[in-house]
Amino acid sequence: MQTEHSYSTLPAEFYSLCAATPVAAPKWLAFNHELAAELGLDAALCETEQGLAIFSGNQQAPWSKPLAQAYSGHQFGQLSPRLGDGRALLLAEIIDKKGQRRDIQLKGAGPTPYSRRGDGRSALGPVVREYLVSEAMHALGVPSSRALAAVYTGEPVYRDQRLPGGILTRVAASHIRIGTFQYVAMLQDLPALQQLADYVLQRHYPELQQEAEPYLALLRAVCQAQAALVAHWMSVGFVHGVMNTDNMTVSGETIDYGPCAFIDSYDPHTVFSSIDHQGRYAYKNQPAITQWNLARLAEALLPLLHPDEPTAVALATEVLNEFPTLYQQQWQQRFCAKLALTPGAENAALVQQLLDLMAQQQLDFTLTFRQLSQSLTDALTPERPTTPISHDAAFLQWHHHWLAQLQLENPKPGFVALQAQMDQHNPFFIPRNHQIEQIISQVVQQDDLTLFQQFAKALQSPFVATASNAVFAQAPPAGGPHYRTFCGT
Ligand code: AMP
Ligand code: MG
């Protein structure tokens, strides 16, 4: 396995070297063999005492040089100048089998110089949730940090109650956040800011290094990556829940899974997080918040954009103003693909009509798209009973309109081919909240991994309908309580 520590070549104020705090009685919960192979990790690590010791923080791997990264962040709009990894440790960067540099990080391995009053630990429930949801996001094709390992610590953590503790090992293209730039900008150390920007260019956007204005190009590239990411989230009904600037990467990957959840019945106002009282991070607000966060990145980059501040502001504003169009393009591509339509303004209006009807009728987001796909061949095979998605006249009218549009655009391929196409853009199942809760409760309260393992296997193929994953495709029982999530602290 090839490991490096390039982040620690940045100036000292970017991080603090910090060892993990050993735990009492570590035990394996999960190990991701497929990801381990991608990384070139020794497969034996998952079977040995040494592997367990490394992924629980009880032993420092010979290839690691643990450090906590420094960053700031706007949390619910308020700037916290000094956050940093309060419960995460970067072990190393692994150069994977494809030559990609990837961070390997322990989450919940004990206090760091950035822990403030926190214990540096994670409860087991949020570890299980992040493991499953991040892996599901990856399988759905959404850029995401990955889960390599999860262990029980054998120690309690104290939140509003005593809970078992866990440690997650996660892997990401990097953990450099908008907040990392904010932190360095606040130091008012121009060379350090430039070093960070150069580092990010080299690591994530090497093709931009030769640009005449590389830092403006960097801002534009992050805007593009984030526009694509958030449109992808929207297309699978994902609500991140805590889109603070410290939780948004410059690579364009989803990280920091906390109070995140997927929408069941479609309501664009959906908020799951118990602390998001204003709905700042509601489903429908995610694109606008992304742009707000990108404006904070732009502010941090200003001194690199032009020596004259008003000129720098004008340059940055121009790039930021492109965001709504970038997002709209990505949204159109994703949602038109869900309905096998060609992206364009007219078809986007057709998508929006459907979403409005789904909201009015509280239709399940994931199931509706899959049922629409099913309806394409139902029409061809009348002997098979059709499952009406909705009996509502407006919905049936919309359905007619959609079929007509498909026929117009596809005189040749036929509905069978279109259905296959749609099924590649509409998951058969997503990690449903009620199922995630059931799995967490089995792991945490009954120490039973059966359902966890079944689900972890199934979620590798979320687009394929099989008998074994059909159970995970079911919507929650109607009339259940509104789902609430809590920050993983
Ligand atoms: P999050 O909401 O998980 O993104 O965390 C926000 C900030 O709080 C980050 O700086 C975390 O490192 C820190 N933090 C969260 N939980 C803990 C904890 N249990 N102990 C120490 N720091 C924490
Ligand atoms: Mg965070």
Side-chain angles (χ1 to χ4, degrees):
M1 183 179 59
Q2 190 187 345
T3 54
E4 292 182 4
H5 305 279
S6 69
Y7 195 83
S8 66
T9 63
L10 289 169
E13 55 266 42
F14 283 69
Y15 62 90
S16 298
L17 294 176
C18 175
T21 307
V23 296
K27 193 172 81 163
W28 284 111
L29 196 158
F31 189 82
N32 189 336
H33 292 268
E34 177 229 323
L35 179 58
E38 251 178 59
L39 297 173
L41 259 176
D42 179 4
L45 265 184
C46 65
E47 267 102 47
T48 59
E49 282 300 308
Q50 193 203 8
L52 180 59
I54 288 173
F55 293 115
S56 59
N58 281 7
Q59 184 185 320
Q60 193 167 318
W63 43 263
S64 81
K65 179 180 169 183
L67 62 83
Q69 294 177 326
Y71 48 86
S72 315
H74 273 91
Q75 300 180 296
F76 289 91
Q78 297 299 313
L79 180 65
S80 299
R82 190 182 147 100
L83 289 170
D85 290 333
R87 55 168 172 165
L89 289 173
L90 175 64
L91 296 184
E93 296 142 26
I94 296 186
I95 312 301
D96 74 11
K97 286 281 168 72
K98 290 188 182 148
Q100 299 293 321
R101 180 180 301 270
R102 295 165 83 175
D103 279 4
I104 174 164
Q105 204 190 55
L106 296 182
K107 187 168 173 182
T112 77
Y114 310 104
S115 295
R116 290 160 288 150
R117 285 191 299 276
D119 59 2
R121 294 294 185 194
S122 291
L124 195 57
V127 167
V128 169
R129 170 189 285 276
E130 178 158 356
Y131 191 100
L132 294 176
V133 179
S134 65
E135 283 301 300
M137 288 285 271
H138 169 71
L140 287 166
V142 185
S144 173
S145 63
R146 304 285 309 274
L148 176 64
V151 299
Y152 303 85
T153 61
E155 287 179 3
V157 297
Y158 298 91
R159 300 296 181 253
D160 50 349
Q161 51 185 315
R162 185 185 145 112
L163 298 166
I167 299 176
L168 180 79
T169 305
R170 62 180 183 175
V171 173
S174 85
H175 290 85
I176 301 170
R177 305 143 195 271
I178 289 183
T180 316
F181 277 89
Q182 291 181 289
Y183 180 82
V184 180
M186 258 183 294
L187 299 175
Q188 306 214 325
D189 177 348
L190 188 58
L193 180 64
Q194 188 166 352
Q195 252 177 299
L196 177 65
D198 288 340
Y199 179 82
V200 168
L201 277 166
Q202 190 183 20
R203 184 161 175 178
H204 296 299
Y205 303 100
E207 67 285 1
L208 303 181
Q209 288 171 296
Q210 309 312 324
E211 292 273 319
E213 296 179 291
Y215 307 118
L216 197 62
L218 171 62
L219 177 63
R220 187 175 286 117
V222 179
C223 287
Q224 280 164 348
Q226 284 293 339
L229 181 68
V230 75
H232 215 154
W233 288 358
M234 302 300 273
S235 76
V236 293
F238 177 75
V239 182
H240 183 282
V242 60
M243 293 174 67
N244 296 333
T245 56
D246 52 302
N247 291 337
M248 253 180 84
T249 58
V250 293
S251 68
E253 274 186 351
T254 314
I255 58 157
D256 281 11
Y257 290 85
C260 60
F262 285 78
I263 285 179
D264 288 307
S265 80
Y266 179 66
D267 174 0
H269 301 94
T270 301
V271 178
F272 294 113
S273 171
S274 56
I275 59 165
D276 190 358
H277 305 296
Q278 312 291 324
R280 180 180 170 91
Y281 300 137
Y283 173 82
K284 75 176 175 71
N285 290 348
Q286 297 187 117
I289 283 294
T290 303
Q291 190 180 2
W292 191 91
N293 288 345
L294 289 164
R296 307 289 78 77
L297 174 64
E299 280 166 5
L301 286 172
L302 282 181
L304 296 177
L305 300 184
H306 201 279
D308 172 51
E309 197 179 85
T311 310
V313 171
L315 288 168
T317 306
E318 200 184 323
V319 172
L320 288 170
N321 286 346
E322 292 163 10
F323 182 84
T325 310
L326 283 176
Y327 171 73
Q328 198 50 34
Q329 282 166 351
Q330 294 288 334
W331 185 91
Q332 270 186 24
Q333 269 175 27
R334 290 268 161 222
F335 277 83
C336 286
K338 284 174 83 70
L339 292 174
L341 296 168
T342 317
E346 218 173 291
N347 284 342
L350 194 58
V351 173
Q352 192 55 55
Q353 278 168 23
L354 169 67
L355 291 173
D356 293 345
L357 287 165
M358 284 165 62
Q360 272 164 31
Q361 297 172 33
Q362 302 181 337
L363 299 182
D364 185 88
F365 186 80
T366 306
L367 289 181
T368 302
F369 284 101
R370 214 44 201 211
Q371 286 162 345
L372 284 170
S373 143
Q374 185 62 44
S375 75
L376 290 180
T377 48
D378 277 354
L380 298 177
T381 52
E383 70 281 4
R384 217 174 345 139
T386 49
T387 1
I389 306 159
S390 163
H391 293 290
D392 176 76
F395 193 94
L396 294 174
Q397 200 186 351
W398 178 89
H399 193 259
H400 250 78
H401 192 162
W402 172 58
L403 291 180
Q405 183 63 15
L406 283 180
Q407 256 153 351
L408 193 74
E409 288 183 16
N410 308 275
K412 276 264 173 63
F415 281 170
V416 177
L418 289 178
Q419 180 178 71
Q421 205 178 306
M422 277 180 74
D423 286 352
Q424 288 172 10
H425 296 278
N426 295 298
F428 176 65
F429 76 105
I430 45 139
R432 297 266 183 189
N433 306 321
H434 65 291
Q435 266 136 5
I436 294 281
E437 286 308 318
Q438 196 190 346
I439 294 167
I440 291 176
S441 119
Q442 283 199 3
V443 174
V444 173
Q445 276 148 39
Q446 289 145 42
D447 205 8
D448 180 354
L449 290 177
T450 319
L451 200 54
F452 172 87
Q453 284 164 350
Q454 212 181 326
F455 193 64
K457 188 160 183 287
L459 59 74
Q460 289 173 13
S461 325
F463 295 96
V464 190
T466 64
S468 61
N469 61 20
V471 58
F472 301 123
Q474 286 165 20
H482 174 68
Y483 187 64
R484 309 271 282 162
T485 56
F486 301 90
C487 278
T489 54

